[in-house]
């Protein structure tokens, strides 16, 4: 890996399959991904957009669940303010719905709703062509909610949640 010229360039996390003597020409080359187009590594901006769209979908689903599973009148009185009760419900349920939607959609379809809107998908890099599977989809969705694992990227533009699950977000 090239030496950093200053600390502002951030950490240099090597790719999982990087060879220091034979650096890849583009992100995802050592993973067997194409340089551009369908099957190439998705950019950070596109992946952030996908997560934001998934969060919005989760918020709408939470709003749909609220009339049926929201706090009762007596629970709202315990909070002292109905708005605080609504905030508590929304924060918890949006988190849980994001986890469920992310897990189920990646497990069944290989992409979340936000990734589908931006034409991306999740692919296994350890066994190309294989489905992601339930446990990988769950672990990946849970680590995404922690925010730090997706933010730390290697030279192949994979977040640590993707390295932990043997996946990559590709353009599709």
């Amino acid at each position: 890996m090239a030496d950093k010229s200053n600390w502002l360039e951030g950490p240099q996390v090597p790719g999982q399959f990087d060879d220091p003597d034979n650096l890849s020409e583009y992100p995802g080359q050592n993973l067997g991904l194409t340089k551009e187009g369908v099957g190439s590594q998705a950019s950070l901006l596109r992946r952030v957009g996908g997560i934001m769209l998934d969060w919005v979908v989760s918020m709408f689903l939470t709003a749909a669940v609220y009339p049926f599973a929201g706090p009762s009148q007596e629970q709202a009185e315990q909070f002292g303010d109905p708005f605080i009760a609504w905030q508590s419900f929304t924060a918890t349920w949006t988190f849980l719905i994001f986890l469920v939607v992310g897990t189920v959609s990646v497990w069944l379809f290989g992409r979340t709703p936000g990734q589908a809107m931006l034409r991306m998908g999740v692919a296994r890099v350890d066994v190309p062509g294989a489905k992601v599977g339930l446990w990988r989809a769950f672990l990946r969705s849970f680590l995404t909610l922690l925010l730090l694992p997706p933010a730390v990227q290697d030279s192949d533009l994979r977040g640590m949640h993707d390295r932990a699950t043997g996946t990559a977000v590709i353009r599709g």
Side-chain angles (χ1 to χ4, degrees), residues 141-161:
S141 295
F142 179 75
L143 291 173
T144 300
L145 283 167
L146 298 179
L147 294 181
L148 188 59
V152 178
Q153 297 181 36
D154 63 12
S155 62
D156 289 317
L157 297 180
R158 290 179 18 183
M160 296 299 107
H161 65 307

Side-chain angles (χ1 to χ4, degrees), residues 65-151:
V65 168
Y66 185 78
F68 307 104
S72 66
Q73 184 63 31
E74 56 199 35
Q75 289 172 329
E77 290 173 5
Q78 286 178 341
F79 280 103
D81 184 5
F83 183 70
I84 293 173
W86 174 81
Q87 286 179 320
S88 175
F89 175 86
T90 302
T92 303
W93 278 83
T94 302
F95 185 90
L96 294 173
I97 288 174
F98 183 93
L99 182 63
V100 169
V101 167
T103 300
V104 171
S105 61
V106 169
W107 174 43
L108 296 177
F109 308 113
R111 61 189 66 212
T112 64
Q115 289 171 341
M117 287 183 231
L118 296 179
R119 292 181 298 230
M120 298 181 292
V122 180
R124 284 183 60 176
V125 294
D126 56 346
V127 182
K131 290 201 173 238
V132 175
L134 180 60
W135 78 266
R136 286 177 198 264
F138 173 78
L139 181 60
R140 188 179 182 287
S141 295
F142 179 75
L143 291 173
T144 300
L145 283 167
L146 298 179
L147 294 181
L148 188 59

